[in-house]
Structures are given as C-alpha cells and as structure tokens.
Amino acid sequence: MQSKLATWSSEDQGRRFDRLLRVIANWSWLQEAARVALASSGAHTPGIDGMDKHTMESELPLQLESIRSELLAGTYQPQPARRVYLPKAKGKQRPLGIPTLRDRIVQRAMLMVMEPIWESDFHRLSYGFRPERSVHHAIRTVKFQLQDSTDTSGRWVIEGDLASYFDKVHHKLLMQCVRKRIRDTRFLSLLWRFLKAGHIDKGLFRAASEGVPQGGVLSPLLSNIMLNEFDQWLEAKYLSKKARKDRWAWNFGIQQRRPIALRENRQWKPAVAYCRYADDFVLIVKGNKIQAEALREECRSFLEGTLKLTLNMDKTHITHVNDGFVFLGHRIIRKRGPRGTMRPVTTIPKDKFRNFAQRLVKELSGNYSENKMDLVEHLNRQLAGWANFYQFTDYTAVPYGKLDRILFWKLAHWLARKHRTSIKELIKQGVRKPSEDKAKTWTLFGRNGKGHLREIALRRLVTSRKGAFRWRNPEVNPYLPREEKRNTVTSRYHDVAMAMGHA
C-alpha cells in the first residue's frame, strides 16, 4: 500500500488523498504499527497512563481492537504527553513529550501512510528525519557545494537557526500545508486532536496552542512538512533551473554593459546553494558579505511573515568558509590542499571534543565502588559510538590521540584510588598488548557485575577505522517500487543526537 501511495503522489503532484483513516484502521496496518512502535528502545518508557511495553504486549489484541473501533467511530482521543527535560549546552533544558503507547501506535500508523505521500514533495536538499538519508549525506552535500571553485574569496555561509522551532509551529498554517495533500476530514480531525492534546508538566495539564510535541514519531514529519514551504520558496527564487538561468542572463547583461543594465543600475546577483537538516540549515552565497546579509534578511522576512517562525538572529551567523563553521556536529572549513588548491574538509569541533572529554572524565572522577570491568565496557561503548559518528571526518588523529591519553591516565588514577596502590604497579600488571597486532593499553581481567569472568581492553580511538562516505543520495521517493536492491543508510537516534546535541 505504501508503494501505491508513493506512486500516486509522484504521478500527480496535485492529488489530494481521501479515505486514509480506513487505511490506518486496518487490522494488519495497526499490527505493523504496533510491531515497530514496541520494537523501539523508547517503548520501555511509559506515558501518563503508566502502561509499559510488557503490559501492552500482554494485552495487544484487545488494545488494537479498542484502538480500531475508536478510530472508525471517530471517538479516539489522544492523551496528553508526559513532559520531561533533557540537558542542553550552557545549562539549558530541552523539553520532551512522552506519549502513551496507544498514542505511539496510532502516530506510527499515521506516519506509515503520510510519509510515502510527502516523500514525493520534499526538497532534494532536505535530509533530516527522512528514509535513506543521513547526517553524513548532508555534510557531504555541503562539502560538494563548496568544491566548485578554487578561488579563496566569495564564499559566505549563513548558518540558519530557528528559535525553539518545534515549540513554535503554527497549528493552522501546518494544517493548511497538510490539506494540500489530504482531504480526508476524519484523518485531518484526528491529526488536529493530536496537535491539541497538550502535556502534563509536574502534575499540571498544559494545553497546546502552538508547536508539535518533541518525542512523538509524527513530529519530525510534521516539521518537514512545514519547512518544505521554506524549501520550495528558496527553490523558486534561487535554486531552480529557471532561477539559475535568469540569474546568469541578468549577470551576463551587467558584464556586457548592456544599455538596460546600465539604465536600471542593475547589481550583480550571487549564486546560492542550500542544505537543510530538520531545523538547521546553511545557505552558501557566492558573493560578498553584504549580499549574504541581504539574503539572511529575506529568509527572516519569509519565515516570520509567512510561516510565523522566528529566525534566531543571535545564532544565525554569517561566516566566511575559510574561517570555518559548525554544521551537524562537524566543523567545515576550506583549507589549502597538498597541490595548492583550496578544498573543504571536516574536523571535530573543539566544543564537541571538550564536552565529550569532560563527560568521560566526570565518570572517572568518583564512584570507586563500581565494577572495573563494567566501567571499561561502558567507556568502550561510548568511544565506539563517537568513533563511528566521526569515521568520515578529516584530521581526527590529533583529537583521538589526545583523548586516548586523557582516558589512559584518568583510568590509571581511578584504578589506583580504587585498589589503593601506586599507578606504577598497576601499569606493570595491567598495561599490555591485547593481541600481537595491537598497541599497549589497559587490559583488565576479572569478573563483571553479572559474575562472568572475562578480559577487556580499553579502546584506543586512534585505531578506529576511517573511510569515505560513498552512500548515494536517493534520486526518487524511496517508497516507489524498484527492481534493483540498494544498500541504504538512514540516520538513527544516536547519529541525530550526536549531530544536534552538545556532547
């Protein structure tokens, strides 16, 4: 059914779909939605009703039949989400809403029917929370956009940042965008009830007048639907083939000093490149800083005037690419290569490195009663996740080596404090090669918290594999049927958290 929806939406860009509520209320459709919802790691976290994964699985047929009956009768009422807060940089907190498992199943069913439709409409340069697209796709796209010239000047980057985007989405404007593709009134009414469900914060109910709840599976799709209007505005004004052709003709007239260009005192129009991941975007301007500032003001006017969103001017910087800028957890900068040409490279931002190192050091700064085998295993998992995220990044040897030295000596101090002995004696006993082809590191032997006898070595980041990102960008709607089998990659929670977080 998803391939049919994708085919119909691709063949007719103006088609509005009906009878979608009957699709999501189908028994097999709800079963698949429940399977996906309960397979996620977040299924163990209950909502305000206290129902966890184990309870839901024990009475799943009864729950699905109840959900199906309420959906068809039009009486299904989403419950408020349970509000929790996650730490952010500089002591700030990110609000997160945890829906009930029943609501998560219904949201998953709605997502399964909406995503194939909108994948035909979304912009090719939008990468956030989309199938077969990842953080590294977006980073590679930006690097490609900066490779079209060896000139060291004329590349100004606008780092777009929307202030509290998920909390500021205008409900009526969002529903107008959804109605462009869906005309099923019962489905639209259900979506409206989800938007207005509100949340419970510290025991108090708070109604939702705007925004989409962070934590629901529908929220990323709804945010993309809203910001697709911004994508299409930029496409029509700067990125489309017609816009680029008009810009070339305009600038060619200025170069040739044609009478109409002189009479109208025409100014040079810069080329513009664009990439967006969720609510973070970059605009690359092939011109001067004044032109970049004018483009930023145009974007602010459209976002605030048309979409009722706020562009955070304090964080929306304009930076020259030779000075470097941070996008999705990577620092992108243009440097001179070995052949004398300028090329864009990615590095690990200093803030990311500092925050990650401080977090690991904090774990090794106390709690000396913890099992040493479990501690090293926990450290290794974090190091493996970090190395996996930055495996396509340039110039990682120096920060990796520095972090390896910090952890080596911090673990030495932790073990010395735990066993009340000298670091010199511990190094004699515990520092050796885990195998013949590996360098020396802390290699501990003992029982873990479960009583299993084992040997474990502290991971060294400098031994992490490196590679080039070779995954292709999807050319068409990924839900369309195709004959060839393609290996694809989609960013999951860990990559998104690394890209959007502060550690």
Side-chain angles (χ1 to χ4, degrees), residues 1-17 20 113-122 180-182 476-481:
M1 187 62 192
Q2 286 182 309
S3 62
K4 288 183 178 180
L5 291 170
T7 303
W8 294 335
S9 63
S10 299
E11 291 176 351
D12 185 359
Q13 295 292 327
R15 177 165 181 168
R16 298 177 66 210
F17 289 81
L20 294 181
V113 81
M114 293 175 70
E115 195 169 58
I117 297 173
W118 263 277
E119 276 299 317
S120 301
D121 297 346
F122 286 154
K180 291 180 180 179
R181 275 301 200 172
I182 296 178
V476 294
N477 189 328
Y479 289 96
L480 288 173

Side-chain angles (χ1 to χ4, degrees), residues 16-17 81 85 180 192 202 218 231 348 379 387 421 429 446:
R16 298 177 66 210
F17 289 81
Y85 293 92
K180 291 180 180 179
W192 181 257
K202 299 177 182 178
L218 264 181
D231 300 341
I348 301 174
L379 291 175
T421 185
Q429 299 173 11

